């Protein structure tokens, strides 16, 4: 196809590039920008005025600054294209102060800026810089805890309109700081949160900086908040301020994630309870969580937490992560024993027989236990939540496999057969492994592990008619007699496609996105938009 830059039709009915709709032309330009090398991308903007405006919109929509020690900001003519600005860490404090001075003058003039990130900084901000941010039309604000400068306590009340607030933990835990610093840091975070209480729909915050007492005392309803994620360490005096006390503050909350680390004092781990066992008399237990809550995630949960007896009625997604941080495992042998299979089975049975009222109709359940799934645990899950469409059970992590029994395929398949609505299954089982010798061949059979995985997949495909995707967790460090597993990081899975009772192993793809894959995606988007405009 012969594309011309003239707005007039070409000879012989050839298609003119500039005669295309703006949306189509934007997608073509984006495709060209993806395929071209970095030093050729700017040249696209030199073709004509229309392509210049479109290409600069993509090139400077996301800006990361400063780079390579250059403190000078971009030319004023490019400011109108900037939507997302990420402030990068500089090595020296003097460069940091100079760059903040530059940004303080520029930020009020970036009228189209919606996102600003200060999340990777080890140096604190200046008062002038914070004041300039209060005059920026931000919808998304990402920062680190170093941003909470105590001298700017009152400046945080001047922010407005923020919809998405993300705060990352930087530096040491707040619990070891002086009491005066703890109080001021909590007040800074509270001032920023309450300044935007009418617009905030998403909050991610370290638990230590989440002031439960401020929510209790101010009686402010955050009527737009739909997602609340609390991470790092739990709040100071956590047991005095369980989250159920302030749940009426979030009337439309749909997603709650309590991802606290274990706080270990000596050799005694302390787990956070969303709903402690020692509730005050007369508490209405069945109405403690927002009615629209459908996703609940808890890291290092306490099995005695009463929340598991009073799960929200409309809950559809439940994620429980019992696997502690690696540094915690070195301090106490009881941490792994806390969630052994026999205790997990008792925990699930207790939830079944002691839960008040009906259990929610869960569709998604993910349990990271550190141990392999057993038929008894799977059977308990099937009794609790028979309508699951997605079940994920991670287990091969930080655990000495010598204590676990050999896998029971027949028992596991029989237990899973009760989950007739299951469409995706991710399972951690200790597949048997025989010794094998390395081969120079590019493709080789890695022993009975691959054969066992295929055998399990075939058996499950026949028993679960709705199953479409199946995965088995795997680890490079394999073997029942090689001691504790110390591999850290994300889980690795062997995937199978299930179609009409037949399981077929998926071909692994290289790490990272493929360029051709991205191009194909852009082409599909362009074709869809083009048909829409016909």
């Amino acid at each position: 196809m012969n594309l011309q830059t003239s707005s007039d039709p070409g000879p012989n009915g050839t298609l003119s590039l500039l005669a295309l709709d703006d949306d189509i032309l934007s997608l073509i330009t984006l495709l060209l920008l993806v395929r071209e090398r970095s030093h050729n991308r700017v040249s696209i903007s030199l073709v004509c005025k229309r392509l210049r405006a479109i290409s600069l919109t993509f090139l400077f929509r996301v800006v990361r600054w400063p780079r390579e020690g250059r403190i000078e900001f971009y030319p004023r003519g490019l400011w109108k294209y900037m939507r997302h600005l990420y402030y990068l860490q500089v090595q020296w404090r003097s460069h940091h102060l100079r760059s903040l001075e530059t940004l303080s003058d520029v930020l009020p003039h970036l009228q189209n800026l919606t996102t600003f990130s200060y999340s990777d900084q080890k140096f604190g901000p200046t008062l002038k810089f914070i004041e300039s941010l209060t005059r920026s039309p931000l919808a998304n604000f990402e920062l680190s805890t170093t941003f909470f400068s105590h001298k700017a306590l009152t400046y945080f009340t001047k922010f407005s309109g923020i919809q998405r607030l993300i705060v990352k933990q930087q530096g040491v835990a707040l619990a070891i700081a002086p009491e005066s610093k703890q109080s001021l840091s909590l007040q800074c975070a509270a001032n920023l949160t309450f300044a935007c209480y009418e617009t905030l729909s998403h909050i991610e915050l370290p638990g230590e900086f989440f002031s439960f007492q401020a929510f209790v005392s101010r009686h402010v309803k955050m009527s737009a908040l739909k997602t609340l994620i609390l991470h790092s360490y739990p709040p100071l005096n956590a047991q005095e301020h369980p989250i159920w006390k302030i749940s009426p503050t979030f009337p439309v909350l749909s997603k709650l994630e309590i991802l606290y680390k274990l706080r270990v004092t000596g050799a005694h781990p302390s787990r956070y309870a969303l709903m402690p066992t020692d509730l005050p008399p007369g508490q209405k237990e069945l109405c403690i969580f927002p009615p629209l809550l459908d996703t609940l995630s808890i890291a290092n949960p306490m099995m005695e937490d009463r929340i598991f007896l009073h799960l929200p009625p409309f809950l559809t997604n439940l994620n429980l992560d019992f696997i502690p941080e690696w540094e915690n495992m070195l301090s106490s042998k009881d941490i792994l024993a806390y969630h052994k299979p026999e205790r997990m089975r008792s925990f699930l049975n207790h939830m079944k027989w002691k839960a008040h009222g009906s259990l929610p109709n869960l569709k998604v359940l993910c349990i990271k236990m550190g141990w392999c799934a057993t038929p008894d645990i799977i059977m308990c899950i099937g009794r609790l939540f028979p309508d699951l469409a997605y079940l994920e059970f991670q287990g091969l992590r930080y655990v000495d496999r010598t204590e676990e029994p050999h896998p029971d395929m027949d028992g596991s398949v029989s237990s899973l057969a009760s989950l007739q609505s299951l469409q995706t299954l991710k399972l951690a089982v200790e597949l048997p492994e025989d010794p094998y010798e390395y081969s120079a061949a590019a493709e080789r059979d890695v022993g009975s592990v691959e054969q066992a995985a295929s055998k399990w997949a075939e058996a499950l495909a026949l028993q679960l008619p709705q199953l479409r995707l199946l995965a088995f967790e795997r680890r490079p460090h394999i073997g029942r007699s090689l001691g504790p597993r110390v591999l850290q990081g994300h889980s690795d899975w062997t995937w199978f496609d299930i179609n009409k009772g037949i399981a077929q192993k998926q071909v692994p793809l290289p790490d990272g996105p493929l360029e051709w894959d991205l191009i194909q995606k852009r082409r599909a988007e362009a074709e869809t938009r083009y048909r829409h405009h016909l």
Side-chain angles (χ1 to χ4, degrees):
M1 183 180 291
N2 181 22
L3 296 180
Q4 301 178 352
T5 58
S6 170
S7 59
D8 299 325
N12 302 322
T14 56
L15 180 62
S16 171
L17 180 63
L18 295 185
L20 294 175
D21 183 90
D22 282 344
D23 290 340
I24 302 298
L25 187 57
S26 296
L27 287 171
I28 294 174
T29 305
L30 179 59
L31 179 62
L32 293 174
L33 292 174
V34 170
R35 297 182 65 177
E36 290 295 328
R37 298 181 181 272
S38 58
H39 60 272
N40 291 331
R41 291 174 180 171
V42 178
S43 62
I44 298 176
S45 66
L46 303 178
V47 176
C48 63
K49 290 183 178 180
R50 191 177 175 198
L51 277 181
R52 174 180 174 81
I54 292 176
S55 59
L56 291 182
T57 299
F58 291 120
L59 288 173
F60 294 97
R61 178 185 296 272
V62 179
V63 173
R64 291 172 173 82
W65 181 88
R67 285 183 177 274
E68 300 177 355
R70 299 180 60 181
I71 306 302
E72 298 79 11
F73 201 67
Y74 293 90
R76 182 180 290 269
L78 300 176
W79 293 0
K80 62 182 179 180
Y81 302 111
M82 297 180 183
R83 301 292 188 273
H84 311 277
L85 177 56
Y86 293 84
Y87 180 59
L88 303 180
Q89 175 68 60
V90 294
Q91 185 175 2
W92 308 106
R93 183 178 291 274
S94 59
H95 288 182
H96 176 74
L97 294 176
R98 287 173 55 195
S99 60
L100 286 186
E101 184 70 21
T102 300
L103 269 186
S104 299
D105 297 331
V106 170
L107 279 171
H109 302 286
L110 301 179
Q111 294 303 313
N112 294 322
L113 191 68
T114 60
T115 301
F116 181 79
S117 175
Y118 191 91
S119 58
D120 296 324
Q121 298 300 314
K122 62 181 179 181
F123 301 124
T126 62
L127 296 181
K128 181 181 178 181
F129 176 68
I130 296 177
E131 193 276 334
S132 67
L133 277 173
T134 63
R135 294 185 284 127
S136 298
L138 296 180
N140 307 303
F141 192 17
E142 302 177 9
L143 60 147
S144 66
T145 52
T146 58
F147 190 85
F148 294 126
S149 172
H150 300 160
K151 295 180 181 180
L153 184 62
T154 57
Y155 283 85
F156 292 111
T157 61
K158 299 179 181 179
F159 282 88
S160 63
I162 297 177
Q163 301 174 19
R164 185 180 179 91
L165 177 64
I166 299 177
V167 182
K168 295 183 180 180
Q169 180 77 46
Q170 188 81 5
V172 298
L174 192 61
I176 64 176
E179 187 173 348
S180 59
K181 182 178 180 180
Q182 295 177 6
S183 176
L184 288 172
S185 298
L186 283 171
Q187 190 61 47
C188 288
N191 286 350
L192 177 58
T193 302
F194 287 112
C196 308
Y197 77 93
E198 293 181 336
T199 57
L200 274 173
S201 62
H202 182 107
I203 296 179
E204 295 183 33
L205 193 68
E208 292 182 310
F209 288 82
F210 189 78
S211 178
F212 284 79
Q213 189 60 40
F215 279 94
V216 172
S217 59
R218 298 197 187 192
H219 302 287
V220 174
K221 285 188 179 295
M222 306 193 71
S223 56
L225 188 65
K226 295 183 178 181
T227 300
L228 176 61
I229 301 175
L230 302 179
H231 56 85
S232 299
Y233 287 103
L236 307 174
N237 302 320
Q239 298 307 323
E240 298 178 10
H241 304 291
I243 198 168
W244 66 269
K245 286 186 176 181
I246 62 171
S247 61
T249 307
F250 319 119
V252 298
L253 189 70
S254 61
K255 183 178 182 180
L256 176 62
E257 296 188 7
I258 308 297
L259 308 179
Y260 292 149
K261 297 180 180 180
L262 281 179
R263 194 188 295 278
V264 180
T265 305
H268 301 285
S270 175
R271 291 176 171 83
Y272 177 79
L274 281 73
M275 187 177 177
T277 55
D278 53 345
L279 279 176
Q283 177 65 41
K284 294 183 179 180
E285 299 174 351
L286 298 179
C287 303
I288 61 170
F289 280 102
L292 302 179
L293 188 67
D294 59 23
T295 301
L296 177 62
S297 301
I298 309 175
N300 297 301
M302 180 184 292
M303 291 185 177
E304 295 78 14
D305 195 337
R306 292 178 66 86
I307 180 59
F308 298 116
L309 305 182
H310 306 281
L311 290 173
F314 294 102
L315 194 70
T316 58
N317 296 262
L318 179 62
N319 302 280
L320 303 177
D321 186 357
F322 289 91
I323 302 176
E325 296 292 326
W326 175 244
E327 60 268 18
N328 293 141
M329 295 188 58
L330 302 178
S331 58
S332 174
K333 294 182 179 180
D334 296 332
I335 291 180
L336 277 179
Y338 184 80
H339 48 276
K340 279 190 173 182
E342 54 268 24
R343 289 210 61 186
M344 181 63 64
R345 185 173 60 251
S346 299
F347 162 68
L348 294 172
N349 282 330
H350 184 73
M351 188 190 307
K352 172 66 177 177
W353 301 115
K354 297 295 183 180
H356 297 277
S358 60
L359 289 166
N361 188 22
L362 279 190
K363 299 298 182 182
V364 177
L365 175 63
C366 176
I367 298 180
K368 301 178 182 179
M369 195 179 71
W371 303 86
C372 290
T374 64
D376 292 342
I377 292 177
I378 296 173
M379 184 176 295
C380 291
I381 292 174
R383 292 171 179 172
L384 282 169
F385 311 112
D387 296 325
L388 284 176
Y390 180 102
L391 175 60
E392 179 175 347
F393 204 106
Q394 295 187 27
L396 308 183
R397 198 170 181 183
Y398 310 146
V399 178
D400 189 347
R401 315 257 41 104
T402 57
E403 297 186 26
E404 293 193 5
H406 285 277
D408 182 0
M409 187 188 74
D410 293 337
S412 298
V413 172
S414 176
S415 299
L416 284 165
S418 61
L419 300 173
Q420 291 295 299
S421 300
L422 202 60
Q423 299 179 18
T424 301
L425 174 62
K426 300 175 69 175
L427 199 61
V429 290
E430 187 68 25
L431 299 175
E433 178 181 2
D434 293 333
Y436 59 85
E437 296 181 357
Y438 286 93
S439 172
E443 296 181 1
R444 59 180 175 81
D445 188 353
V446 295
S448 60
V449 172
E450 294 292 331
Q451 298 170 8
S454 298
K455 186 177 180 180
W456 277 66
E458 292 169 1
L460 288 169
L462 293 175
Q463 290 293 328
L464 300 173
Q466 301 299 322
L467 193 63
R468 294 295 175 265
L469 289 174
L470 173 63
F472 296 102
E473 190 177 6
R474 63 184 182 185
R475 290 291 182 184
H477 182 182
I478 295 178
R480 298 180 58 83
S481 61
L482 297 181
R485 302 200 176 211
V486 297
L487 184 66
Q488 303 183 48
H490 297 290
S491 300
D492 190 15
W493 300 89
T494 298
W495 285 92
F496 290 85
D497 289 315
I498 311 297
N499 186 16
K500 297 181 180 180
I502 300 175
Q504 183 175 5
K505 185 179 177 181
Q506 291 183 357
V507 178
L509 295 175
D511 294 335
L514 299 177
E515 184 179 3
W516 65 267
D517 188 42
L518 181 60
I519 292 174
Q520 290 295 107
K521 181 179 179 181
R522 299 305 182 201
R523 285 176 177 169
E525 292 175 350
E527 291 175 359
T528 301
R529 293 194 176 219
Y530 179 74
R531 294 191 189 99
H532 177 73
H533 288 282
L534 289 179

